[in-house]
Amino acid sequence: MSVSIKSEHEIELMREAGRILAIVHDEMAKIIRPGVSTMDINRRGEDVIRSFKCIPSFLNYNGYPAAICISVNDEVVHGIPSKKRILQEGDIVSLDAGVIYQGYQSDSARTHAVGEISAEDRRLIDITKQSFFEGIKYARAGNHLFDISKTIQNFVEDNGYSVVRDLVGHGIGRKLHEEPQVPNFKPIGRGMKLRAGMTLAIEPMVNAGAYDVWVLEDDWTVVTKDSTKSAHYENTVLITEGEPELLSYNKDLV
Ligand code: MF3
Ligand code: CO
């Protein structure tokens, strides 16, 4: 399958999916504090998704057993919510969520502090978010895909961190994962030319230490090999002839 260019009608549905998803994240963020379990956060997220008559796209995706991916500290992505996993003061927690609205997807992730966190961990979260905003400066028609990738990588590495290689962003639309893959590091070449109407989930995963990761025995949870912390930031982005439109981002929410 090749890269799809969305029609104005499809974009309208993806805007609504993204608008709802921003609210889902905001509502989950409100309950984060020491003592809350990752299952509590999953439940809140799923309830809000369903309150908008949306479908949680991750639930049952390749057998994934929950609505939200919740990854704590050295967990990079795809952490499985559990009522036994209680957040502690000083943790960082990454929430990755996806919704389907009238057949169209939106996907986004945020990393939050639990109570007071160290200055180093705050910086990891902030650099990860900033790397996304640096990268999307190049997300416009006529540029090449890896202009985004290279910019994210350079920004992260200039700040002393590493970008995960084994997981990448992706096209998104009717399906959660469409072409093209969107790496957060620069492969050989320039990548495809960006065109107006492409929709991409751009999602830097940034480790405080080395970029190497592995998967736990549960077959889902991705952790850093060196046990350093990791942060994640993602939005669903519409490519236009000018500034990109951030479909899952609301500047007044998280
Ligand atoms: N947000 C993830 C991504 O961008 C998807 C989570 S995997 C799932 O690929 F299995 F949980 F859905
Ligand atoms: Co994604």
Side-chain angles (χ1 to χ4, degrees):
M1 206 199 82
S2 58
V3 174
S4 65
I5 299 297
K6 273 70 179 184
S7 69
E8 192 49 48
H9 175 64
E10 290 179 296
I11 291 167
E12 208 38 69
L13 296 175
M14 290 186 72
R15 274 194 190 106
E16 184 61 9
R19 188 188 73 80
I20 292 166
L21 184 55
I23 296 170
V24 171
H25 270 289
D26 202 56
E27 292 299 322
M28 291 193 293
K30 285 178 187 167
I31 68 165
I32 294 176
R33 56 175 172 73
V36 158
S37 76
T38 56
M39 186 58 87
D40 294 332
I41 298 169
N42 176 73
R43 196 173 301 113
R44 180 72 187 129
E46 182 165 356
D47 284 351
V48 179
I49 291 169
R50 296 199 188 279
S51 76
F52 286 100
K53 304 273 176 279
C54 290
I55 297 167
S57 50
F58 300 171
L59 183 61
N60 300 323
Y61 183 89
N62 291 148
Y64 184 75
I68 315 294
C69 295
I70 306 186
S71 310
V72 183
N73 293 338
D74 64 323
E75 297 170 359
V76 179
V77 287
H78 303 168
I80 300 174
S82 160
K83 61 183 192 317
K84 292 190 209 132
R85 188 71 194 259
I86 309 295
L87 296 179
Q88 317 276 339
E89 180 98 20
D91 286 344
I92 66 170
V93 60
S94 299
L95 307 183
D96 189 350
V99 304
I100 307 172
Y101 173 78
Q102 293 187 18
Y104 284 85
Q105 305 255 353
S106 197
D107 180 11
S108 69
R110 304 284 185 264
T111 301
H112 299 289
V114 181
E116 285 290 314
I117 61 170
S118 69
E120 304 99 273
D121 292 347
R122 181 74 257 164
R123 183 169 175 276
L124 175 66
I125 294 172
D126 292 345
I127 293 294
T128 304
K129 179 176 181 177
Q130 279 177 41
S131 74
F132 168 89
F133 283 97
E134 289 296 316
I136 62 160
K137 290 178 181 170
Y138 296 86
R140 69 163 68 203
N143 284 351
H144 288 262
L145 182 62
F146 298 162
D147 297 339
I148 302 171
S149 309
K150 179 178 64 187
T151 303
I152 291 172
Q153 177 177 21
N154 288 343
F155 183 79
V156 167
E157 292 179 356
D158 287 349
N159 280 284
Y161 299 137
S162 60
V163 289
V164 172
R165 302 288 201 275
D166 292 357
L167 298 140
V168 296
H170 48 94
I172 180 169
R174 274 200 164 278
K175 292 195 298 171
L176 175 60
H177 294 136
E178 299 185 351
E179 284 186 33
Q181 293 197 359
V182 183
N184 301 299
F185 55 92
K186 203 192 94 54
I188 292 168
R190 296 199 291 176
M192 68 166 34
K193 202 170 191 174
L194 299 174
R195 285 185 288 152
M198 287 173 56
T199 44
L200 304 174
I202 301 175
E203 51 177 317
M205 288 151 270
V206 175
N207 296 350
Y211 61 69
D212 312 76
V213 297
W214 55 33
V215 181
L216 297 185
E217 285 292 308
D218 64 15
D219 276 345
W220 279 104
T221 313
V222 177
V223 299
T224 60
K225 271 195 189 171
D226 60 11
S227 298
T228 58
K229 286 181 178 156
S230 187
H232 188 196
Y233 189 86
E234 174 181 28
N235 281 305
T236 299
V237 176
L238 171 67
I239 303 297
T240 77
E241 299 291 343
E243 300 275 299
E245 186 178 331
L246 304 185
L247 300 177
S248 57
Y249 178 77
N250 179 328
K251 67 173 173 37
D252 298 321
L253 304 180
V254 294

